[in-house]
């Protein structure tokens, strides 16, 4: 009888653990739809990503307001606003603090005169995630680092709301906005020209790679031979002529 009781207790525990783990969301990966969330931000309530229609979107997460590295990143993002506008890309920032703190932080950031540049207004929303809902939804809580603050994440989301790239940075390293724009431009190029990919250290204006394997595939692209060159049978470049 005692054995029967322990077996029952053990089975019930196993069942609860299975149910609980099934409820834990899988962190989104490249190729997954961007998880939807509704949250309060410095620009009012936002429904992400649907509020941003068919634009490209980049979601930046920050572990904490009034921290030096995060502050430098938001400052640089505000400075780069025009570049992101030209790339038809909407920036959404979130931080695991409350909205009142975000408002005060935003006002302070808009006053900073750094590297002799004119201070810029912060036009993108800063989402409040003090309940960690969005951080958990997007897999930004890396438990060995912190259970109460997210890590620095960058999610690139295409016009169909599919995640196309994810970067994670540690607390100690500020993000490189040029690298984020370089990745965005490469993703946009591939979105427009599915047969083009970009090599290591590629910059806008450089030749791109064509992952062509067979002659039939090459012919189907209808590209003039003079625009193509190979550095190995497995590396075909398309000259950048635009
Ligand atoms: C920072 O942004 O400076 C920072 C954020 C979290 C922990 C440590 C530093």
């Amino acid at each position: 009888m005692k054995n029967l009781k322990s077996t029952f207790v053990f089975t019930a525990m196993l069942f609860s653990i299975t149910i609980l783990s099934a409820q834990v969301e899988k962190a989104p990966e490249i190729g997954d739809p961007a998880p939807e969330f509704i949250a309060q931000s410095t620009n009012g309530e936002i429904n992400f990503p649907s509020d941003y229609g068919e634009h490209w979107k980049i979601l930046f997460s920050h572990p904490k307001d009034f921290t030096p590295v995060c502050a430098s990143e938001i400052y640089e993002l505000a400075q780069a606003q025009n570049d992101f506008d030209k790339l038809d890309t909407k920036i959404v920032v979130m931080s695991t603090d409350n909205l009142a703190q975000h408002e005060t932080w935003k006002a302070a950031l808009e006053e900073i005169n750094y590297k002799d540049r004119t201070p810029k207004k912060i036009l993108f929303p800063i989402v409040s995630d003090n309940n960690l809902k969005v951080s958990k939804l997007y897999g930004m809580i890396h438990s060995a680092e912190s259970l109460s603050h997210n890590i620095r994440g960058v999610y690139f989301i295409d016009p169909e709301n599919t995640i196309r790239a994810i970067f994670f940075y540690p607390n100690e390293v500020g993000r490189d906005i040029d690298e984020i724009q370089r990745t965005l431009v490469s993703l946009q190029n591939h979105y427009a020209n599915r047969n083009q990919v970009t090599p290591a250290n590629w910059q806008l204006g450089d030749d791109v790679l064509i992952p062509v394997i067979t002659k039939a595939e090459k012919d189907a692209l209808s590209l003039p031979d003079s625009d193509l060159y190979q550095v190995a049978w497995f590396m075909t470049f398309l000259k950048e002529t635009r």
Side-chain angles (χ1 to χ4, degrees):
M1 186 64 185
K2 200 173 163 216
N3 265 354
L4 197 66
K5 197 175 160 198
S6 339
T7 310
F8 176 76
V9 170
F10 179 73
T11 313
M13 276 171 62
L14 207 63
F15 184 68
S16 318
I17 290 169
T18 312
I19 297 279
L20 275 176
S21 30
Q23 284 170 348
V24 173
E25 295 277 350
K26 163 186 158 294
E29 296 170 349
I30 291 175
D32 283 341
E36 290 267 348
F37 64 84
I38 296 175
Q40 299 307 314
S41 83
T42 49
N43 292 4
E45 184 174 286
I46 66 162
N47 190 336
F48 187 88
S50 29
D51 277 356
Y52 299 90
E54 292 187 356
H55 300 283
W56 283 76
K57 301 125 198 124
I58 305 186
L59 178 65
F60 288 85
S61 66
H62 291 269
K64 202 161 171 42
D65 294 4
F66 299 102
T67 47
V69 179
C70 292
S72 69
E73 294 175 323
I74 300 212
Y75 183 91
E76 296 299 341
L77 279 176
Q79 292 284 333
Q81 179 72 59
N82 277 348
D83 300 328
F84 285 108
D85 289 345
K86 283 183 201 148
L87 293 168
D88 188 29
T89 299
K90 303 292 177 192
I91 301 297
V92 173
V93 162
M94 54 157 286
S95 174
T96 40
D97 271 317
N98 65 41
L99 197 54
Q101 283 165 305
H102 286 2
E103 297 285 8
T104 319
W105 189 35
K106 178 180 161 181
L109 287 166
E110 287 177 343
E111 303 265 295
I112 295 177
N113 192 337
Y114 174 48
K115 293 188 184 164
D116 285 335
R117 288 172 293 178
T118 319
K120 288 266 189 312
K121 289 277 172 218
I122 294 169
L123 302 181
F124 45 78
I126 307 177
V127 169
S128 166
D129 191 40
N130 59 335
N131 59 8
L132 303 181
K133 206 175 114 196
V134 182
S135 300
K136 287 180 183 160
L137 186 66
Y138 272 76
M140 297 177 193
I141 301 296
H142 291 196
S143 43
E145 186 68 21
S146 170
L147 287 175
S148 55
H149 294 282
N150 60 23
I151 43 79
R152 295 179 204 288
V154 188
Y155 295 79
F156 297 77
I157 297 163
D158 76 13
E160 289 156 59
N161 292 336
T162 300
I163 296 179
R164 288 294 163 209
I166 304 174
F167 293 170
F168 288 138
Y169 291 68
N171 283 339
E172 308 77 34
V173 182
R175 283 163 275 200
D176 182 338
I177 308 302
D178 288 343
E179 170 57 9
I180 287 163
Q181 285 182 352
R182 190 191 76 93
T183 304
L184 174 64
V185 172
S186 172
L187 289 169
Q188 290 183 339
N189 186 61
H190 179 72
Y191 188 79
N193 307 284
R194 301 287 166 138
N195 61 333
Q196 296 183 12
V197 293
T198 51
N201 297 340
W202 177 85
Q203 295 291 339
L204 186 61
D206 288 352
D207 297 344
V208 296
L209 283 163
I210 303 281
V212 169
I213 323 284
T214 64
K215 180 164 180 333
E217 282 170 322
K218 180 176 154 287
D219 291 347
L221 294 174
S222 317
L223 290 167
D225 274 350
S226 57
D227 282 358
L228 299 171
Y229 63 97
Q230 280 193 323
V231 297
W233 64 264
F234 45 84
M235 283 177 82
T236 304
F237 280 89
L238 171 66
K239 287 182 197 161
E240 182 56 77
T241 49
R242 283 162 292 175

